[in-house]
Amino acid sequence: MNNKIKRIVILGGGTAGWLAASHLGAHYKKTIQAGQLSVTVVESPDVPNVGVGEGTVPIIRDSIRSFGISETELISKCDTSFKQGIKFVEWTHNPSQKPGNFYHHLFETPHVAQSGINAHWLLNNQSMNKHYAQCVSIQHDVCEAGLGPKDLSTPEFQGIVNYAYHLDAGKFTELLSHNAQRNLGVQYISGHVDTVNLTDDGNITSLLLTDGNTIAGDLFVDCSGFQGRLINDELQGTFVDKSDVLLCDSALAVQVPYTDPNHDIKSYTIAHAQQAGWVWDIGLTSRRGVGFVYSSAHLSEDEAYQTLFNYLGTQPEMVRKIPMRTGYQSQPWLKNCVAMGLAQGFVEPLEATGLLVFDMSAKLLATKLPVTPNEVAIVASKFNNQMTAIWEDIVDFIKLHYCISKRDDTAFWLDNRAPETIPQSLRERLQLWRTHIPTHFDFERTLELFKLENYLYVLNGMDFCVDKEAIASRYMQTEGAPQHLAMIEQAVRQVTSALPKHRALLESIKQRGRH
């Protein structure tokens, strides 16, 4: 290798590959322009992208802005709609007992400081006749009213309430690719890898393409999807299987056109629980993206298709089946190769974890990029520790949605509550939280993606069973709770009367973009 790392080669041009290229290109734009660093994406024209990651979380706004892409362009070119959270339908109770039961996991931080609202909620929720999210944020009512998170006068990437995006994954990848090549100095090569050349100590030196071209590099980023062409095939990376914790292992995906020209567009993802999995339903500006995530151990393929068709009320012709390998690389950075995207790991997309981890790991690589080969081992060790912690955090949080459910109508839901399927770290937290209200001290790691506010929305949204006697003895219900609830109700009236309908807002932004 050279004395300095000057050539970064990214294998794979899907969303993960172009996010990695964009973060590197944006972070080192001047260095690339000066010819001191090159970033090259090598993409095979024969390998299709999975392309079903259509939900994001709010931190994606910072990334897109840093790439130099405007919000108007994103909305105009990627069928983008706003996403204010996730509505979980029939996760908590059996549908036969409480049909349509739901809760919102919102993006707005819950307003709980100094009000004693959490203790008030836990001790009085049965008589309050309100969802937890209604008591801590105006965003619940904004979502239920079909409103957008901002108005047309709000600056780009800012909102009255917090938000992310729903977007067409394929079009988003195209936008990232075009912008990275045009504005960030990223190079692009279309070709299929025939041979990977290694040194005696196992580092990658170059990729030999089937057309005879050789692409040399100092650092390689494997974004080749589930195959893991570099991390698995060449470097024999070790995969940590989590299928014993997260039981869903298959997905069916379909694109659903709108039949009504005045169609409503939900400003949240719908996650609708089923007998052996759940359906995602995402509203874009021109269509819906719908899919069924399920456990093949609890449902046959024919039953899975029928579940999806029943949800849709029709039988579409084009349905994609996607096998899911749940888990992550124990060492995503191995030698001079960094695995990202599906090559690094995957869990079911219940909390938009796909693009979240793609974006987070790419940003981490860009900020910690080693200068010389001598630094690689040091940076790789820290990167691996951080990414392992992130994946374990994600597994715990996804499992939370299943293991505290009160559904017992099928073996799938019962098996998800079996203690042996719940990670010890989560079991310990849940045991503590039966008598203690969660606080920020329960979330110690700096890069923990799901923190107190996320857990509060799910725990309280799903009526997590607590010891009310213990809670009452340990926490005072302050006099601030009624005033807090009145403040939220007043803010709801003000905001919901001012915000536009979601669909009307998107159309206005597109019209502004055309002018």
Side-chain angles (χ1 to χ4, degrees), residues 143-313:
C143 288
E144 287 297 297
L147 305 176
K150 61 198 295 181
D151 59 31
L152 203 59
S153 65
T154 312
E156 290 199 332
F157 301 110
Q158 298 180 32
I160 307 301
V161 290
N162 203 8
Y163 67 90
Y165 309 104
H166 292 137
L167 42 78
D168 183 295
K171 292 181 179 180
F172 181 50
T173 300
E174 290 178 9
L175 177 61
L176 291 175
S177 171
H178 180 69
N179 182 73
Q181 294 178 69
R182 181 184 62 185
N183 298 323
L184 304 179
V186 174
Q187 302 173 32
Y188 173 72
I189 296 174
S190 177
H192 187 74
V193 174
D194 179 75
T195 304
V196 178
N197 296 314
L198 306 174
T199 61
D200 291 340
D201 60 0
N203 282 291
I204 302 171
T205 59
S206 62
L207 308 178
L208 175 62
L209 307 185
T210 53
D211 62 8
N213 286 332
T214 299
I215 313 300
D218 304 312
L219 185 70
F220 292 80
V221 183
D222 188 351
C223 297
S224 63
F226 284 121
Q227 178 189 3
R229 177 67 176 84
L230 303 181
I231 196 74
N232 287 328
D233 294 353
E234 300 298 332
L235 302 182
Q236 283 78 53
T238 302
F239 185 79
V240 179
D241 192 309
K242 288 295 179 178
S243 60
D244 59 332
V245 177
L246 301 177
L247 308 185
C248 292
D249 60 1
S250 304
L252 305 175
V254 63
Q255 297 181 358
V256 182
Y258 290 113
T259 55
D260 181 358
N262 298 313
H263 57 85
D264 180 33
I265 303 175
K266 305 295 186 191
S267 63
Y268 48 83
T269 298
I270 298 173
H272 197 143
Q274 305 294 320
Q275 290 189 337
W278 58 278
V279 169
W280 78 73
D281 195 336
I282 290 175
L284 305 182
T285 55
S286 63
R287 63 169 176 83
R288 290 158 59 205
V290 181
F292 177 38
V293 176
Y294 67 97
S295 164
S296 63
H298 296 85
L299 205 67
S300 70
E301 185 171 310
D302 288 343
E303 290 172 324
Y305 275 94
Q306 193 57 54
T307 300
L308 178 61
F309 298 158
N310 290 344
Y311 179 86
L312 294 171

Side-chain angles (χ1 to χ4, degrees), residues 335-357:
K335 300 293 184 178
N336 66 335
C337 173
V338 188
M340 289 192 180
L342 298 177
Q344 183 185 109
F346 178 83
V347 300
E348 60 191 83
L350 185 60
E351 289 280 359
T353 49
L355 286 177
L356 171 61
V357 180

